[in-house]
Amino acid sequence: MDRGPDSDARRWVLGWHRLVLDAGLLVYPLIVLAQTADQPTAVVALLAFCACYIGAAVAAYEVRSRLFWILTGVLTVLFAVVLPIAHENAFYLLAVVISLAVPRLPRKGMLLVPPAAAATVLVPWAVWDTDPGWAQAAALVFTVLVVVAFAEALRANRALVQARAEVQRLAADAERSRISRDLHDLLGHSLTAITVKSNLARRLAAKGDERVVDEIGEVEQLSRQALADVRAAVSGYRDVTLAGELARGRELLRAAGISADLPTAADGPHQELFGWVVREGLTNVVRHSRATSCAVTVSANAVEVRDDGVGAAAEDGNGLSGLRDRVAAAGGQMESGPVRPRGWRLRVTVQ
């Protein structure tokens, strides 16, 4: 289930898969090509249009702005070449050009859509005395809206990936600061005491004083206590706690844009186990649920993570399998599955 941090979001935000969606706009020049197949000039122009469109999509993917706008200009010229031949059907090409340009312009780029749609309707009627291009205008408007919505979704996903990475970085920095502070406090005191005791033992040994044995014994005890304190500090750095996972989960849900209803108190006898449950449950909510809200309830013997998402989970991989093993080792029971009317629930109870 856990294929790596942010793998699903990165696959679509940063991967080549988004080019598959861009390829869908090629259906418009292919429609025009099928209707002008007997016109050599139109065929050549349309094939060039398809090639330039692919180049513009790749340039946009690689953030090569100058090349993108040059190819978009060439696409506009090719649309003008095909227009006298294909008449109203040529405006399908205009839908492609506008759909390319608008998402990469400032907010006011949407102002291009009304005049383009008006031209699509009026030019065939005014110039060629044919029926207004209502179908082509509708295709233009709705295609631009879909492409803009998809572009906004990509921006939001990219921001989510960056926010989650920042949350993880800040959490790691906070933990490093805590462990360094704890080690400084622990070792500063312990090593100072060991140094003083060692100097005293050296002076006593030089005098042949029998108390040196007692002092060396105290040095040994201080050393053992310092080692135990360091191990406890490092264990605190590594261990999962319910309070810590609730705090990190609240930040993760906030970064994902999911409304969080998480308890502030985290008392109870099963802190570590319930911490693992909250960690796995919230990770899956963010990765797979497409939820708008998530709630965590905790009692002395039970913890539940519930969302209002699509009501389906990814395959039962290492995450839930490992959690199920932990719950079984603690003598508890784990339930996971969809709930009505929508959503997914993960619940663990320990008697």
Side-chain angles (χ1 to χ4, degrees):
M1 195 170 194
D2 299 330
R3 293 169 292 182
D6 305 319
S7 60
D8 293 335
R10 290 184 184 276
R11 182 178 51 159
W12 287 99
V13 176
L14 304 176
W16 58 266
H17 300 75
R18 56 184 292 189
L19 293 179
V20 176
L21 299 177
D22 290 335
L25 287 179
L26 285 173
V27 68
Y28 287 143
L30 294 179
I31 290 174
V32 182
L33 180 62
Q35 296 172 346
T36 58
D38 57 344
Q39 300 288 333
T41 302
V43 171
V44 173
L46 288 167
L47 292 177
F49 188 95
C50 292
C52 289
Y53 170 76
I54 294 173
V58 173
Y61 169 71
E62 296 178 350
V63 198
R64 300 170 63 182
S65 297
R66 183 176 180 182
L67 177 60
F68 169 80
W69 288 112
I70 290 174
L71 291 174
T72 302
V74 174
L75 290 172
T76 305
V77 172
L78 292 172
F79 158 69
V81 170
V82 177
L83 182 59
I85 303 173
H87 295 174
E88 67 273 12
N89 288 325
F91 284 96
Y92 285 121
L93 305 182
L94 183 61
V96 175
V97 175
I98 298 296
S99 297
L100 273 177
V102 168
R104 294 160 182 93
L105 290 171
R107 293 286 183 180
K108 294 183 179 179
M110 285 296 293
L111 295 177
L112 292 176
V113 177
T120 302
V121 172
L122 297 177
V123 169
W125 169 74
V127 176
W128 300 295
D129 195 24
T130 59
D131 292 336
W134 295 110
Q136 292 79 3
L140 185 148
V141 171
F142 285 105
T143 300
V144 171
L145 291 177
V146 169
V147 171
V148 168
F150 178 68
E152 289 298 323
L154 284 179
R155 293 190 187 101
N157 285 341
R158 186 180 296 111
L160 172 60
V161 169
Q162 294 170 350
R164 290 168 65 178
E166 181 67 10
V167 168
Q168 293 174 357
R169 185 188 68 80
L170 291 175
D173 288 346
E175 287 297 293
R176 281 193 291 268
S177 297
R178 185 196 67 80
I179 195 67
S180 64
R181 182 180 65 249
D182 290 351
L183 288 177
H184 176 273
D185 294 342
L186 290 170
L187 294 180
H189 172 77
S190 299
L191 293 179
T192 299
I194 289 172
T195 301
V196 172
K197 289 287 185 179
S198 298
N199 287 334
L200 177 58
R202 178 177 55 81
R203 291 195 300 269
L204 292 174
K207 297 178 180 179
D209 195 323
E210 295 181 355
R211 290 181 299 167
V212 67
V213 177
D214 296 333
E215 295 299 332
I216 291 297
E218 291 186 16
V219 169
E220 180 184 5
Q221 184 178 357
L222 285 171
S223 299
R224 292 182 182 277
Q225 184 60 48
L227 180 59
D229 290 342
V230 169
R231 285 174 174 170
V234 173
S235 177
Y237 173 66
R238 291 176 178 172
D239 283 352
V240 172
T241 64
L242 179 57
E245 292 306 319
L246 288 172
R248 281 187 285 269
R250 187 174 288 106
E251 285 299 311
L252 181 61
L253 293 175
R254 181 193 61 79
I258 299 174
S259 176
D261 181 13
L262 275 62
T264 55
D267 296 331
H270 308 291
Q271 292 286 302
E272 182 178 355
L273 176 62
F274 287 1
W276 283 108
V277 175
V278 170
R279 170 185 281 190
E280 178 64 16
L282 296 186
T283 298
N284 290 336
V285 168
V286 172
R287 287 183 176 172
H288 306 295
S289 71
R290 300 201 294 266
T292 60
S293 65
C294 175
V296 175
T297 55
V298 180
S299 64
N301 298 314
V303 60
E304 181 179 290
V305 180
R306 184 167 181 165
D307 64 71
D308 65 348
V310 297
E315 295 180 0
D316 192 350
N318 293 334
L320 286 180
S321 295
L323 181 61
R324 186 172 284 107
D325 292 341
R326 290 179 185 275
V327 173
Q333 295 181 337
M334 187 178 97
E335 304 171 31
S336 63
V339 292
R340 295 182 179 180
R342 58 183 285 117
W344 188 268
R345 184 187 70 164
L346 171 63
R347 180 177 177 82
V348 169
T349 57
V350 181
Q351 300 301 326

